[in-house]
């Protein structure tokens, strides 16, 4: 593909990992260097925003990882653009001579941004004596309902999208800042809601004081707002529901998400979760334990700061076995014999640098490890289900009761999954109503030839996936209306007509 200035850009490639001396020193005591630098395990690197969008939305990345080095800048979602200033301030305040600290990050937010802390929630996790990740949970108030987040690695509750119901309207409220919202509602204590950061910090400090948790093992997961707010997308959407779950209301703490960079192109998916995106924060040798996400979707990631190792495994039986035998195992050094054997079976071992954006499947086993001590690693994720027929077919394997893809723990319950499928039907109906991918709404220029090709492949994928869903899943056969199905099958003809005009 061409770059926006018409110069031919390098084709996506799987290049050997080149390490600076400081990076090599940073990695010495983590995972085996021969695995980190193995050419066969390297990600597919892309070099333009258009290639990144194409690989995320249309290509098969099920057993791959796609990385756009320093892509956040090119996509227009750099840390300074995407995050409120208090986040960057907390990352800076967490730096210590002995190494950046998650505990200091939380203390800074609670002490210096109490109104912000009262409106945010997160899971703070530590590693027990068996090397398994556990959550530091505050006592639960019976008067409060369960969280309704679609967490990546756990099903916590019912989906916020009710069955056979369409969301209404578009996001119409500017973000401003979290603290300004709290001022309008009066002074708030971070201890008012047991899910907020104040109570989480107290429980975490108690775990550390008792010796149950080590400061260096702490890892913040799924950092976001407690309550959804109206926040307009950075581009104009057609009226009505669509793939973007946060089009009406969102819990994100970010100003801009990767979906905002893609503009209307992000609507060309079965689902894109801009409502319950998650921010993860970790210090040296902390990370997210091995797991398969509760739905077999994909994730786009923005590695905001710091360095991280990511390992992914092949789909199917290999991932299922690891999920059952090593669930929540944190691959921190020194590695156990089982962890080392598992890493040797990984399909990809990827070093993520500050500013990188990437795409990976959450429907395969994966694990991460923060490397480097000078700054905390912060990564933001948005889950999505692409229209690529192989990815859509993999999504349908969520909740399998038997076979190579059956998970005995952690899969989204059937009723919740049906709610989610209802949302994907709304997304397909929206494509029929607005059948032209508006590439001009992206935060980057898409060359005209690439725009024509991308529109054609997205429409073709939508038509093929609609057929596949109805052929392989009784829920879609029952609830995807014949008129919608026929409209999806006609989508490729739009590209033909446009080519003749």
């Amino acid at each position: 593909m061409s770059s926006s200035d018409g110069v031919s850009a390098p084709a996506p490639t799987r290049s050997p990992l080149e390490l600076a001396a400081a990076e090599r020193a940073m990695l010495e005591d983590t995972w085996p260097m021969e695995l980190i630098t193995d050419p066969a395990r390297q990600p597919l690197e892309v070099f333009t925003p258009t290639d990144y969008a194409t690989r995320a939305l249309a290509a098969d990345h099920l057993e791959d990882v796609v990385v756009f080095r320093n892509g956040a800048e090119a996509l227009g979602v750099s840390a300074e653009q995407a995050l409120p200033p208090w986040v960057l301030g907390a990352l800076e305040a967490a730096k210590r001579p002995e190494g950046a600290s998650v505990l200091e990050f939380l203390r800074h937010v609670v002490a210096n941004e109490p109104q912000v802390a009262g409106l945010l929630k997160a899971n703070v996790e530590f590693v027990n004596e068996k090397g398994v990740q556990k959550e530091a949970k505050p006592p639960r108030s019976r008067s409060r309902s369960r969280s309704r987040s679609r967490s990546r690695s756990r099903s916590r509750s019912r989906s916020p999208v009710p069955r056979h119901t369409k969301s209404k309207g578009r996001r119409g409220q500017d973000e401003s800042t979290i603290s300004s919202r709290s001022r309008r509602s009066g002074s708030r204590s971070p201890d008012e809601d047991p899910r907020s950061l104040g109570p989480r910090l107290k429980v975490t400090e108690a775990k550390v004081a008792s010796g149950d948790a080590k400061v260096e093992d702490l890892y913040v997961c799924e950092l976001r707002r407690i309550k959804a707010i109206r926040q307009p997308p950075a581009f104009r959407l057609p009226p009505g529901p669509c793939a973007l779950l946060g089009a009406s209301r969102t819990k994100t703490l970010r100003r801009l998400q990767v979906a905002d960079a893609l503009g209307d192109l992000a609507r060309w998916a079965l689902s894109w979760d801009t409502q319950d995106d998650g921010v993860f924060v970790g210090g040296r040798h902390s990370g997210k334990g091995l797991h398969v996400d509760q739905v077999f979707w994909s994730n786009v990631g923005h590695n905001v700061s710091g360095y991280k190792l990511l390992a992914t495994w092949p789909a199917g039986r290999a991932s299922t076995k690891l999920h059952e035998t090593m669930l929540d195992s944190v691959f921190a050094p020194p590695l156990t014999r089982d962890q080392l054997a598992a890493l040797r079976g990984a399909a990809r071992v990827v070093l993520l640098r500050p500013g990188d954006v990437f795409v990976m499947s959450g429907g395969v086993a994966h694990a991460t490890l923060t490397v480097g001590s000078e700054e905390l690693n912060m990564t933001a994720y948005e889950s999505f289900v692409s229209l690529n027929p192989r990815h859509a077919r993999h999504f349908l394997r969520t909740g399998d009761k038997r076979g190579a893809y059956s998970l005995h723990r952690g899969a989204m319950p059937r009723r919740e999954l049906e709610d989610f499928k209802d949302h994907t039907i709304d997304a397909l109906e929206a494509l029929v109503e607005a059948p032209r991918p508006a590439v001009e709404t992206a935060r980057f220029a898409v060359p005209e030839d690439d725009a024509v090709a991308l529109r054609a492949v997205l429409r073709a994928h939508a038509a093929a996936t609609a057929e596949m869903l109805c052929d392989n899943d009784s829920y879609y056969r029952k609830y995807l209306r014949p008129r919608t199905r026929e409209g999806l099958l006609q989508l490729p003809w739009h590209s033909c007509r446009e080519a003749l005009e």
Side-chain angles (χ1 to χ4, degrees):
M1 289 188 175
S2 300
S3 62
S4 59
D5 57 8
V7 178
S8 180
T13 184
R14 208 175 305 281
S15 304
L17 179 64
E18 296 183 2
L19 295 171
E23 291 176 333
R24 187 172 291 276
M26 180 194 312
L27 295 169
E28 282 295 342
D29 60 346
T30 57
W31 296 349
M33 193 65 74
E34 68 269 19
L35 298 182
I36 297 172
T37 59
D38 182 0
R41 300 176 204 265
Q42 295 308 303
L44 184 69
E45 288 194 39
V46 298
F47 302 94
T48 69
T50 304
D51 272 336
Y52 177 79
T54 301
R55 291 287 167 176
L57 293 168
D60 176 9
H61 55 260
L62 181 59
E63 295 182 309
D64 208 348
V65 177
V66 179
V67 175
F68 187 7
R69 298 293 184 189
N70 203 30
E73 191 76 35
L75 290 169
V77 291
S78 66
E80 292 74 18
Q81 293 167 302
L83 294 171
W86 69 262
V87 176
L88 302 177
L91 287 173
E92 188 65 28
K95 294 179 180 179
R96 292 290 185 275
E98 64 275 16
S101 166
V102 165
L103 194 59
E104 293 304 321
F105 174 86
L106 292 172
R107 284 171 173 167
H108 177 85
V109 177
V110 172
N112 296 279
E113 304 286 348
Q115 295 172 323
V116 170
L119 297 173
L120 296 178
K121 64 180 179 179
N123 300 329
V124 182
E125 299 184 343
F126 63 96
V127 180
N128 68 11
E129 68 280 0
K130 297 181 180 179
V132 176
Q133 208 156 35
K134 297 293 183 182
E135 182 181 347
K137 294 182 179 180
R140 191 167 194 87
S141 169
R142 294 185 178 182
S143 63
R144 293 190 178 273
S145 60
R146 293 168 62 98
S147 168
R148 302 197 302 176
S149 161
R150 279 177 300 276
S151 167
R152 265 140 287 279
S153 60
R154 290 290 182 278
S155 173
R156 298 207 183 324
S157 66
R158 294 298 309 276
S159 166
V161 183
R163 290 202 296 166
H164 319 306
T165 305
K166 293 185 178 181
S167 58
K168 301 294 183 182
R170 292 172 46 223
R171 293 189 287 180
Q173 176 184 317
D174 198 354
E175 166 163 68
S176 62
T177 63
I178 297 177
S179 56
S180 67
R181 282 183 54 82
S182 64
R183 283 195 296 269
R184 288 196 298 270
S185 59
S187 178
R188 302 175 65 122
S189 164
D191 292 341
E192 284 185 359
D193 192 312
R195 297 169 294 177
S196 64
L197 296 191
R200 289 285 177 172
L201 174 60
K202 288 181 180 179
V203 173
T204 301
E205 289 177 324
K207 288 284 186 183
V208 171
S210 67
D212 292 336
K214 297 178 181 178
V215 172
E216 58 268 25
D217 293 337
L218 299 178
Y219 196 66
V220 175
C221 303
E222 309 283 1
L223 178 62
R224 61 170 74 92
R225 300 173 188 268
I226 295 172
K227 295 181 179 180
I229 65 164
R230 294 187 182 277
Q231 176 173 296
F235 57 95
R236 185 172 181 82
L237 281 170
C242 66
L244 297 171
L245 281 164
S248 177
R249 298 180 69 84
T250 180
K251 296 179 183 177
T252 186
L253 62 81
R254 294 187 285 163
R255 292 170 165 175
L256 290 172
Q257 299 164 295
V258 174
D260 290 309
L262 302 187
D264 186 66
L265 290 172
R267 187 174 61 89
W268 284 77
L270 284 174
S271 175
W272 195 300
D273 195 351
T274 53
Q275 182 183 61
D276 279 320
D277 70 339
V279 172
F280 292 68
V281 186
R284 179 175 179 265
H285 292 178
S286 68
K288 187 64 186 146
L290 185 146
H291 66 281
V292 178
D293 287 359
Q294 62 160 329
V295 174
F296 292 174
W297 47 37
S298 297
N299 292 307
V300 294
H302 173 192
N303 198 58
V304 176
S305 67
Y307 291 78
K308 170 180 283 184
L309 286 171
L310 164 68
T312 67
W313 281 266
R317 200 169 300 281
S319 285
T320 302
K321 182 178 179 181
L322 286 170
H323 182 86
E324 296 303 324
T325 60
M326 301 187 72
L327 180 61
D328 292 331
S329 175
V330 178
F331 283 59
L335 298 175
T336 66
R337 183 180 303 176
D338 288 344
Q339 288 174 329
L340 185 57
L343 273 180
R344 296 195 184 283
R348 297 288 178 265
V349 177
V350 179
L351 175 65
L352 296 169
R353 298 179 171 109
D356 289 352
V357 290
F358 59 99
V359 184
M360 55 165 286
S361 173
V364 301
H366 53 283
T368 66
L369 180 72
T370 298
V371 294
S373 61
E374 291 186 2
E375 61 181 338
L376 292 178
N377 172 255
M378 175 177 282
T379 310
Y381 294 89
E382 301 152 49
S383 60
F384 74 105
V385 182
S386 88
L387 290 170
N388 181 288
R390 188 180 183 211
H391 283 271
R393 182 67 186 91
H394 190 60
F395 158 67
L396 289 184
R397 294 188 169 104
T398 302
D400 276 5
K401 298 301 182 185
R402 62 184 68 87
Y405 299 88
S406 174
L407 300 180
H408 299 298
R409 293 181 289 172
M412 180 177 276
R414 180 185 63 82
R415 187 72 181 273
E416 240 182 285
L417 187 58
E418 289 179 354
D419 289 346
F420 189 80
K421 288 178 179 178
D422 265 357
H423 161 69
T424 67
I425 291 173
D426 285 348
L428 291 171
E429 291 174 351
L431 299 183
V432 175
E433 294 296 322
R436 182 182 180 276
V439 296
E440 63 275 9
T441 61
R443 292 178 64 84
F444 52 89
V446 181
E448 182 56 32
D449 288 348
D450 294 341
V452 171
L454 190 51
R455 289 191 190 104
V457 72
L458 289 174
R459 287 163 171 163
H461 277 348
T465 289
E467 282 288 273
M468 185 278 299
L469 293 174
C470 291
D471 289 345
N472 290 276
D473 189 89
S474 60
Y475 196 85
Y476 286 98
R477 282 196 297 274
K478 182 175 181 180
Y479 292 109
L480 186 60
R481 294 182 296 180
R483 185 178 69 179
T484 301
R485 186 174 177 182
E486 182 60 30
L488 291 164
L489 295 179
Q490 294 298 317
L491 284 177
W493 291 104
H494 289 273
S495 297
C496 295
R497 286 196 295 270
E498 289 172 358
L500 295 173
E501 291 175 355

